[in-house]
Amino acid sequence: MRALTHLRGLLGSILEKKGAEWPEKATIEPPKDKKFGDMACNIAMLTAGKLGRKPRELAEELARELLEADPGLSKVEVAGPGFLNVTFAPSFWQQTVEEVLEARQCFGKFNLGRGAKVQVEFVSANPTGPLHIGHGRGAAVGDSMARILRAMDYEVSTEYYINDAGRQMRLLGESIWVRLLELLEKPVAYPEDWYKGEYIIDLARELVTLKGKALADLPPAEAQDICYEYGMKSILDGIKKDLADFRVEHQVWFSEKSLVAAGAVERTLADLKARGLAYDKDGAAWMGTTQFGDDKDRVLRKSTGELTYFASDIAYHADKYARGFNTVVDIWGADHHGYIPRMKAAVQALGRAPEDLKVILVQLVNLMRGGEQIAMSTRAGQFETLADVCAEVGVDAARFMFLSRKSDSHLDFDLELVKQQSMDNPVYYVQYAFARICSLFAKAAERGVAKPAPSRELLARLDTPEDLDLMRFMEQYPDILASAALTLSPHVVSFYLRDLAGLLHRYYTMHPVLAAPDEALMRARMLLLEAVSVVVASGLELLGVNAPEKM
């Protein structure tokens, strides 16, 4: 961030004196090969024509003027048709250590969002069973995304949409009911696609204890309503506990049933019809989503009079925007990808821009044990719950693994690998980098060596390629956070932490710290490693993962 901002400022001033503006397509970025310097810029090729100059000739002139403008640049070379390859002096990178140690946990965080209001709705699983590992991945993505956005000065509200209306909830009531009848040795007619998990039997058993055998003598519809209400509350309480244990916070729990009961869906449908965006056909109510780019119009109310999920979702999103959110982020399972165009159409029908709705897709998790895949099916009752997985591998390991790949990529989660304390385990690899530094400082304290205060004199000793690699990489942290926030991609932070940990582990094996050749160099290296520990702890906190001092 500082390198990019600094170089752009220098080049901008030079261009302004030449009567040229900064081109929209100009880029400043680290080159793929370190031999080409710290930053590469294409500015000369984009402005040469407007200035009536040849690109390479202009680039050579800019190179000379950059070196004259800033003694902190050690080298500026021209490559190819006019690329500027800029190398900063070590003193520039050494300032990064000072910055990190002064800002501590605030390093890398700035007012990117400028207080814009964002709602992140995630998990939102039907309360028909415990959360499984797939829900856990969505929970980690949503919660970490909210943490990153807040760190970058967005005003974020997190929400869980409770799907407590519709067929799935009725089926939950029926499933508990038939299990209750089984327990009471009554005749049973099994519904189609019912929930068969052990938790359904447990709920039925609890109801028998609470209500007694009289429940079986009630009219089936009344008994099933009781089963549904009890089952939903019990399951939802379990979901809330599992999420809290997983370090996930939802500030708002929004009931679909309350939306329907308040008449919000009917009001939204009436508004769409009044504006000519919905119509009746074949006894059903439709929305003209094709006029907003969808491949076909969609049913809002079936000919039976039953509302579709789409109708409720439109009303729900209307409610979100009415609450003042600038951007609404929905995190869905990857199997909902086909639902995106119609919701984008609905958002436009509500008078919003399509980009006011962001949809993040979360792919399936292949849960494995020792390389063998574990079969999972919620309805059949064959699944590993999120709570069970966390109990086996720990919350830290589970969260980091869920965030170890882009959310729309498939993820293999091997329980045995994640439990190993080895460098092959990604979460151990990163956490060990922090613990390793803490261990070093503990040894220093035992020897009576206090943490040194930063000074330019000490930091000037950090001049090896490995020193500079660590400092350059830490300097990128603000850009990493900005990228993660703008693209809604928490995995970007995970990738960065693994690379930073790799540089730290390599450094540790190549350069002794407490056994450095002289005291000044020891203190300089202590400052560098302390800065690394600050950045690692900050990144882990944004992922919802602890930074343990001992491992």
Side-chain angles (χ1 to χ4, degrees):
M1 174 64 74
R2 185 166 55 88
L4 188 154
T5 303
H6 183 69
L7 184 55
R8 174 163 178 162
L10 290 173
L11 284 169
S13 297
I14 293 170
L15 286 177
E16 187 177 353
K17 291 175 184 176
K18 297 180 184 297
E21 294 182 353
W22 187 268
E24 184 180 343
K25 295 184 179 180
T27 59
I28 300 176
E29 57 191 5
K32 292 181 180 178
D33 193 328
K34 287 193 296 184
K35 72 181 181 182
F36 295 120
D38 297 322
M39 289 287 171
C41 183
N42 62 354
I43 191 74
M45 294 179 288
L46 296 175
T47 55
K50 294 179 181 178
L51 294 173
R53 307 284 296 279
K54 294 179 180 179
R56 189 171 177 91
E57 176 189 286
L58 176 61
E60 289 171 349
E61 184 177 299
L62 290 174
R64 289 192 300 272
E65 293 180 15
L66 276 172
L67 288 169
E68 291 170 3
D70 186 2
L73 302 179
S74 65
K75 185 167 60 177
V76 182
E77 296 180 323
V78 178
F83 283 102
L84 288 171
N85 290 332
V86 179
T87 301
F88 288 87
S91 59
F92 181 88
W93 301 114
Q94 290 156 6
Q95 291 176 43
T96 302
V97 176
E98 285 187 281
E99 277 194 8
V100 174
L101 295 180
E102 181 180 349
R104 309 301 296 186
Q105 288 297 100
C106 293
F107 177 70
K109 303 168 185 177
F110 60 99
N111 62 337
L112 177 70
R114 300 181 183 275
K117 293 184 69 175
V118 179
Q119 188 223 43
V120 182
E121 183 228 319
F122 60 107
V123 185
S124 298
N126 291 344
T128 55
L131 295 180
H132 57 62
I133 193 169
H135 298 134
R137 189 179 190 187
V141 169
D143 183 70
S144 297
M145 187 185 299
R147 291 172 187 240
I148 292 166
L149 290 171
R150 288 184 182 123
M152 303 307 281
D153 196 33
Y154 291 87
E155 184 182 332
V156 182
S157 176
T158 52
E159 187 154 317
Y160 188 115
Y161 183 53
I162 307 168
N163 296 103
D164 52 0
R167 180 176 178 275
Q168 298 306 319
M169 300 313 299
R170 292 198 302 273
L171 197 57
L172 172 68
E174 291 175 25
S175 300
I176 298 171
W177 169 240
V178 297
R179 288 301 195 188
L180 184 145
L181 292 176
E182 279 184 340
L183 290 171
L184 296 176
E185 299 181 349
K186 301 282 187 180
V188 174
Y190 297 104
E192 187 178 351
D193 293 331
W194 61 298
Y195 294 98
K196 304 179 178 69
E198 285 293 322
Y199 68 95
I200 297 292
I201 299 174
D202 292 339
L203 290 169
R205 189 175 288 114
E206 290 169 17
L207 267 173
V208 171
T209 302
L210 287 170
K211 300 288 185 179
K213 298 180 180 180
L215 192 59
D217 297 326
L218 293 175
E222 184 180 342
Q224 288 168 18
D225 281 345
I226 293 172
C227 290
Y228 148 71
E229 292 288 350
Y230 180 82
M232 187 195 71
K233 182 182 183 306
S234 179
I235 290 170
L236 195 57
D237 286 346
I239 287 173
K240 290 180 178 181
K241 182 182 184 304
D242 288 349
L243 289 172
D245 292 344
F246 199 49
R247 303 179 197 140
V248 170
E249 177 198 33
H250 286 94
Q251 295 164 302
V252 177
W253 294 77
F254 194 103
S255 162
E256 178 189 5
K257 205 171 180 180
S258 71
L259 193 74
V260 176
V265 181
E266 296 295 342
R267 285 194 300 273
T268 301
L269 266 58
D271 174 66
L272 292 172
K273 283 186 177 181
R275 292 188 290 124
L277 300 175
Y279 59 92
D280 292 327
K281 178 184 174 183
D282 300 328
W286 298 70
M287 181 175 170
T289 52
T290 49
Q291 61 187 293
F292 299 106
D294 197 7
D295 60 345
K296 61 181 180 180
D297 288 352
R298 305 290 177 174
V299 176
L300 298 173
R301 191 198 309 277
K302 301 176 184 177
S303 57
T304 59
E306 183 181 6
L307 290 169
T308 62
Y309 283 118
F310 185 45
S312 296
D313 284 343
I314 298 172
Y316 178 42
H317 283 74
D319 182 89
K320 292 184 182 192
Y321 293 118
R323 284 183 262 160
F325 294 112
N326 303 101
T327 304
V328 164
V329 181
D330 289 354
I331 299 179
W332 299 343
D335 56 336
H336 287 75
H337 66 91
Y339 202 64
I340 297 175
R342 76 185 72 171
M343 279 312 304
K344 289 278 190 180
V347 165
Q348 292 175 80
L350 294 171
R352 306 291 299 216
E355 57 268 22
D356 289 348
L357 171 66
K358 309 284 188 186
V359 178
I360 307 300
L361 296 178
V362 178
Q363 264 292 0
L364 296 172
V365 179
N366 296 318
L367 190 63
M368 310 176 80
R369 189 181 295 280
E372 295 292 324
Q373 187 166 346
I374 299 172
M376 293 189 289
S377 169
T378 303
R379 190 163 280 127
Q382 299 173 335
F383 56 89
E384 291 284 341
T385 66
L386 175 62
D388 287 343
V389 169
C390 289
E392 182 166 349
V393 304
V395 173
D396 286 342
R399 285 191 66 125
F400 195 93
M401 287 302 297
F402 287 142
L403 299 166
S404 64
R405 297 195 66 186
K406 198 169 182 287
S407 66
D408 61 359
S409 300
H410 282 280
L411 175 67
D412 289 336
F413 190 122
D414 194 309
L415 295 166
E416 298 304 323
L417 172 64
V418 175
K419 287 189 290 185
Q420 293 177 13
Q421 291 203 340
S422 74
M423 292 301 200
D424 294 327
N425 180 348
V427 65
Y428 179 85
Y429 189 72
V430 175
Q431 287 182 317
Y432 185 52
F434 181 82
R436 200 169 207 176
I437 297 170
C438 290
S439 175
L440 181 142
F441 277 97
K443 290 177 183 176
E446 289 172 4
R447 299 178 189 181
V449 179
K451 284 186 179 181
S455 72
R456 297 290 170 91
E457 184 181 3
L458 277 181
L459 295 174
R461 299 295 303 276
L462 301 172
D463 57 4
T464 70
E466 293 75 31
D467 289 317
L468 294 170
D469 283 347
L470 272 173
M471 291 184 288
R472 286 191 195 100
F473 204 68
M474 283 192 290
E475 197 272 341
Q476 293 178 28
Y477 187 56
D479 294 308
I480 292 297
L481 296 189
S483 174
L486 291 172
T487 62
L488 303 175
S489 304
H491 73 277
V492 170
V493 177
S494 169
F495 286 7
Y496 173 85
L497 289 177
R498 277 185 286 176
D499 289 342
L500 180 58
L503 290 173
L504 180 279
H505 293 312
R506 181 168 178 264
Y507 185 92
Y508 202 88
T509 59
M510 294 182 67
H511 298 289
V513 179
L514 298 182
D518 60 73
E519 184 177 345
L521 185 56
M522 174 191 73
R523 292 181 178 278
R525 289 176 177 174
M526 287 177 71
L527 288 170
L528 176 60
L529 265 61
E530 184 183 3
V532 172
S533 73
V534 168
V535 176
V536 171
S538 170
L540 286 174
E541 192 278 329
L542 293 176
L543 300 181
V545 177
N546 287 325
E549 295 185 7
K550 295 181 179 180
M551 295 187 74

